Amino acid sequence: MVIILGVERLNESLVVIVRGIIAFFSLLFFTRILGKQQISQLTFFDYIVGITIGSIAATLTTDLTSRALPHWIGLVVWTVLSLSMQLITIKWRRAGKFIGGEPTVAIMNGKIMESTIKKMRFRGADLMEQLREKGVFSPQEVEFAILETDGRLSVLKKAENQPVTPKDLNMPVGKKGVNTELIYDGVVYHQNLKQVNRDRKWLDTQLQMHGIKDESEVFLAVFDPESGQFYIDRYEDKVKNLTDMSDYPEHE
Amino acid sequence: MLRRIIVIGIPVLLMVIFIFIMMSGIFLKKPMGKDDHVVKNINILYNDIQQRKWKAASTDRDDLESAWKRVVPRVQFSAERDEMNKISNSLAKLDGFIDGKEKAGALAELKDLENNWRNIGK
C-alpha cells in the first residue's frame, strides 16, 4: 500500500502486474486465433496489424491514466477485423487479391519488366539483391521472376541454368518419408511407434543393435518408415577432438 | 473431448475473468459494509452544506473520506488513476471550503466529486 493524495492505495506496480497478465494472455489467445502464418509470409498489412495490436497491449499494461477495458476492446476489434479479412480473402478470391495484392512478374525470359517493378516501388538494386540471394547473378539466367505479395522474389531459372537432378540422369532413387520421433529425452513415444506400425519389441531390438541397454541413454531416436532408416543420438557422444567454433574456447 | 474442453474452455474462462476484473469497478464501488457508503455520505454532506451546518459538515466530510478510502483499493484495477486523484483532490478542497464556511464553493466541489464518483468504473 502507498499513500497518494492522502488516500491509501494499492501499489501501482501491482495494478500493472494484473493488467500485464490480462494483456499477455489476451494477446496469446488472440494471436492463436489469428493463425500460424510465419513472419516471413506476412504481408506488409499483416505486419502493421501485428505492430498495432502489440502497441495496444503495451498501453493496456502500463497506461494507468486510462481504464483497461477500452484498450482490451481495441485489441478485440483489431483481432476481429483481421480475422474477418482473413476469412474474406479465403472465401472470395477477388477480394483476396484486392486486399492482399497480387504477385507480379518482374522478369520474363531474362528481361526486366521496368514498368511493373516501378509500380511496385521496387528498385533495380532491390531486384538484383533478391536475385543474388537466390544464387542468380545475372537476370539473363532467369526465365521468370515473380514478385510475391510479401515482397519476396520467386525465381525460375532458365532450363540451361537449372541444377541437374537424379531424374535428368535417369538415376533410380529410394523413397524418402517424414521422420517420426520414437524416443525423445529418454522417453519412448508409444503413439508414434504405433503410427509407424512398429512395436516395443522392434524398438528394443534396434536399441540393442546400436549397443544401447536402456532408452534413458537416448536423446533422440527417429524413424523413417518409407526408407526404413533409423537414426539414433545418445546423450554420450563419443566424439574425439570436438570442433570448437567459439571465440572463447573452454580450455585454453 | 476433454482436450477440446481444455483448449477452448480455459481461454474462454480466462477472458471472462479478465472482463470481470476490468469491469469490476461497477460492482465493487457499491457499499459492502457499514462504513463504505460513498453516495449516502455525499447526500448527508450535501444537506449539511445546504443548511450551513459547518460542524456537522466537517465530521461528515471525514466520514466521506474514510468511505472513499475503503473503496479505492477495490476499484483500482478498473478505474483511471486521474479519476481517483480528482476525487481525492475534491475531498481536500471540500475541507478548505467547509473550514472557510463557503457554501457555493463547497457545493460546487461536492457536485464535482459526485460526478467523478459516477464515472468510476463506467
Side-chain angles (χ1 to χ4, degrees), chain A:
Chain A
M1 289 276 197
V2 286
I3 294 173
I4 299 168
L5 294 171
V7 177
E8 230 176 61
R9 285 191 206 165
L10 295 173
N11 197 318
E12 283 190 343
S13 310
L14 189 67
V15 181
V16 171
I17 289 170
V18 172
R19 287 172 70 146
I21 291 170
I22 292 175
F24 181 86
F25 286 102
S26 300
L27 205 58
L28 181 70
F29 183 50
F30 294 153
T31 46
R32 289 282 287 128
I33 291 175
L34 283 179
K36 292 180 178 171
Q37 272 178 315
Q38 294 279 327
I39 295 284
S40 59
Q41 290 171 345
L42 293 180
T43 63
F44 183 60
F45 182 66
D46 294 330
Y47 179 65
I48 301 292
V49 168
I51 291 174
T52 311
I53 289 179
S55 164
I56 297 172
T59 321
L60 162 58
T61 307
T62 51
D63 184 9
L64 301 186
T65 58
S66 53
R67 274 189 287 263
L69 192 64
H71 296 291
W72 192 82
I73 290 171
L75 269 184
V76 174
V77 169
W78 274 78
T79 308
V80 168
L81 286 178
S82 293
L83 197 63
S84 351
M85 285 288 180
Q86 280 179 5
L87 296 178
I88 287 170
T89 51
I90 290 168
K91 201 142 186 150
W92 292 288
R93 195 179 148 81
R94 210 170 257 272
K97 284 191 171 182
F98 180 71
I99 293 164
E102 271 185 297
T104 42
V105 177
I107 300 175
M108 207 170 134
N109 201 14
K111 291 194 172 70
I112 298 172
M113 305 285 113
E114 290 85 3
S115 60
T116 313
I117 62 167
K118 213 171 185 178
K119 222 193 269 175
M120 302 296 288
R121 282 174 220 98
F122 216 68
R123 293 177 304 162
D126 297 330
L127 191 70
M128 289 307 291
E129 189 181 320
Q130 293 236 27
L131 282 177
R132 284 195 298 274
E133 277 172 13
K134 304 272 174 198
V136 178
F137 285 79
S138 164
Q140 258 186 338
E141 295 172 29
V142 178
E143 183 76 58
F144 270 109
I146 293 165
L147 201 54
E148 306 292 355
T149 48
D150 60 1
R152 279 179 309 134
L153 195 71
S154 302
V155 179
L156 176 71
K157 290 184 199 169
K158 282 183 179 167
E160 62 263 31
N161 295 311
Q162 298 273 12
V164 179
T165 62
K167 196 182 161 194
D168 298 328
L169 303 171
N170 289 324
M171 270 170 64
V173 281
K175 268 195 167 183
K176 218 169 163 11
V178 179
N179 280 328
T180 307
E181 284 177 18
L182 300 182
I183 303 175
Y184 178 73
D185 202 15
V187 178
V188 176
Y189 288 88
H190 294 278
Q191 199 186 332
N192 292 357
L193 205 56
K194 216 170 151 186
Q195 234 171 43
V196 294
N197 294 322
R198 299 291 190 278
D199 56 11
R200 184 63 207 240
K201 215 170 157 187
W202 171 85
L203 182 65
D204 288 338
T205 320
Q206 291 292 327
L207 292 179
Q208 270 172 18
M209 276 163 63
H210 286 82
I212 294 163
K213 286 177 193 146
D214 194 75
E215 66 239 33
S216 60
E217 295 172 39
V218 180
F219 170 65
L220 179 72
V222 291
F223 179 64
D224 176 2
E226 289 284 348
S227 64
Q229 273 182 340
F230 189 74
Y231 168 83
I232 231 169
D233 184 83
R234 298 182 202 202
Y235 278 105
E236 205 178 303
D237 295 314
K238 287 169 184 156
V239 179
K240 285 174 191 167
N241 302 327
L242 192 74
T243 310
D244 194 350
M245 289 172 69
S246 166
D247 287 347
Y248 308 99
E250 266 181 65
H251 310 289
E252 282 203 322

Side-chain angles (χ1 to χ4, degrees), chain B residues 59-71:
Chain B
T59 324
D60 291 333
R61 192 217 70 93
D62 291 347
D63 289 347
L64 175 60
E65 187 169 14
S66 65
W68 168 238
K69 277 181 181 172
R70 281 173 200 279
V71 175

